[in-house]
Amino acid sequence: MDKKQIDLIRQFNKLDKERKSLYWEIDTLSDDFYSARVELRKNFSKLKSIFYKYKQNKNLITPEILENLRKNLNKFKDYMEKRIQKEAEKFS
């Protein structure tokens, strides 16, 4: 494996760690946010399956794929923030 591929794998691992921390955030939402938690977990599983595909074969990772994964992760983060905010407004 060349240095460039090793660097791509390192970047992938960082993104994967970030993905895992998002799941932890979802999992630790209070019971007041139950419906948001269920919805976020459902949508998170789609993101997880994309990451899992590349985790199984890291040689497939290219700069384009890495950028796409990053965009998907950021899109999910935005969605997650909006969904939690929407749920929080019910209590305001």
Side-chain angles (χ1 to χ4, degrees), residues 58-72:
K58 292 183 178 177
N59 292 330
L60 296 176
I61 300 171
T62 64
E64 295 79 21
I65 288 172
L66 198 60
E67 184 60 33
N68 194 19
L69 289 170
R70 189 173 288 117
K71 284 180 185 176
N72 284 329

Side-chain angles (χ1 to χ4, degrees), residues 13-24:
N13 289 338
K14 285 180 185 176
L15 283 177
D16 196 41
K17 215 178 233 185
E18 195 173 330
R19 177 194 62 81
K20 289 175 185 174
S21 72
L22 284 177
Y23 186 79
W24 183 83

